[in-house]
Amino acid sequence: MPEEVSKNADDSKKNLWSQILSDVQNNGNPKLPSCKQVLVLGDNECGKTTIVAKLQGVEDPKKGSGLEYAYIDVRDDYRDDQTRLSVWVLDGDPGHSDLLRFALNEETFQHTLVILTVTMTAPWSILEQLQHWASVLADHLDKLNLDVDLRQNRRQHIVKMWQEYVEPGDELDPASPMKRSSRTFGEGEDGMDDATSLPEGTLTNNLGLDIVVVVTKTDYIQTLEKEHDYRDEHLDFMQQWIRKFCLQYGAALFYTSAKEDKNCDLLYKYLTHRIYGFPFRTPALVVEKDAVFIPSGWDNMNKIRILYENLHTCKPDDYFRDIIVQPTTRKTINRETELIAEDEQTFLARQQQILFAGGNNLQIPRLGESPIRSSPLGKGTLDSSKVVSSPGGEGVLANFFNSLLHKKTGSSPSNSLVNKSGGPESLTDKATMRSDAAAELDRLARGGKKPGASGPSSGVDFNASDC
């Protein structure tokens, strides 16, 4: 008998150690899965690429088109393990919606977390964009050949995650039947009848996917307040509508600003918590209007109704665009006038006509000459009315040679020179002209310049007898 008791004790010890080893092997420090992925949806220019770059720790985001692929390095220091989290970013153009099948399909459905992005730079379209992309996502899932049991299990998993949310600092023993204060906050007697029921308006559109709504560029709120007269009432009106949407899809909510680095690191920690089960100790943040954070499972309609107290000029159920109105800005469109080049042959023909039309009265002078026009006074006669005196004395010589031309063409003494006023010139004027011309010629001679170099070339030789 003592031997049998000892043998049984040894067997029980072996079984105990085998069980411990089996538990450690199955549950102890498992490797991080490499099949997890994030799908980012949203309109163009809403900050999708920037927020992904922030999650990657990259300062210079590179924007692509169509369906972009990236990855985030995830490391678990506790397990001393690391993996890559795949990230798919879909272009905001509706024509690229068909590319969703490469990122979200039957194989990746249960491993995908979806981020819906909207931007505070266009607050009037936030609700429409969220509803649009949620509809695109739902339509795509309906087209997939998903196993019915798999999709139902994923929906139940989302419900369970919502119900089992524990607010940091309010943790209880999982086996305890007590209800958390965060779950029953503001609930009436019929708020939650049992553990399986959900609060009002919660998970009414359960897609079976983990969803996070990210409102980007919240630093623009300051501009909305200064330039568009936004008040806290407008911001609370927007927030209550966004939180109602998140409640319907079981989504978490983040207000982020990459410019001011608000909630970007917190978003990374929350994603790794939801995907890999990393510890997460940050409670909901609803005080700062540009850095709101509401984790999935924390919110309910009674908490949202607190925002109603600040709505004085509008009602919570008012149409979103009636309160958040898009400003009418007149944008000046600078349309560049299109210049059509004229045909080369047409241009040359037109220039030829211009030359022919002016060629009868104009002789093109050589370099340094004045224009010579045909005149009734004689061929090649300078028009004295066009001669302008210059500092170099060329005008004096021109007048002098003009008098010589009148004399060469056979003008008699009775035919006196015509001055600018149309009257005859006196002998004193002639003498003065000749003395000025002689002085100018002497000056040119002393300067080493020939008279023909600066004066007009008229083809007349200077002779003292002519003077």
Side-chain angles (χ1 to χ4, degrees), residues 31-36 71-76 79-86 268 272 275-276 278:
K31 293 290 184 180
L32 293 175
S34 59
C35 58
K36 300 296 183 179
Y71 63 87
I72 301 172
D73 289 320
V74 179
R75 181 171 180 80
D76 185 2
R79 302 175 185 176
D80 193 20
D81 190 17
Q82 63 182 6
T83 187
R84 284 184 174 180
L85 175 62
S86 299
Y268 171 81
T272 55
I275 296 173
Y276 300 107
F278 287 5

Side-chain angles (χ1 to χ4, degrees), residues 22 67 76 98 102 216 227 234 247 250 283 365 406 412 432:
S22 177
L67 182 64
D76 185 2
D98 291 340
F102 297 104
T216 64
E227 298 183 3
H234 296 88
L247 204 61
H406 279 282
S412 62
T432 303

Side-chain angles (χ1 to χ4, degrees), residues 241-298:
W241 267 111
I242 297 173
R243 286 171 63 176
K244 287 178 183 177
F245 174 88
C246 293
L247 204 61
Q248 294 173 6
Y249 288 88
L253 174 61
F254 277 85
Y255 277 28
T256 65
S257 171
K259 182 179 180 180
E260 298 182 355
D261 199 18
K262 288 189 177 181
N263 281 352
C264 295
D265 292 338
L266 187 64
L267 177 60
Y268 171 81
K269 294 178 181 179
Y270 186 78
L271 292 178
T272 55
H273 164 69
R274 297 290 292 187
I275 296 173
Y276 300 107
F278 287 5
F280 187 78
R281 303 297 181 188
T282 304
L285 305 174
V286 294
V287 177
E288 296 185 25
K289 56 189 175 183
D290 58 348
V292 175
F293 162 58
I294 298 177
S296 177
W298 178 85

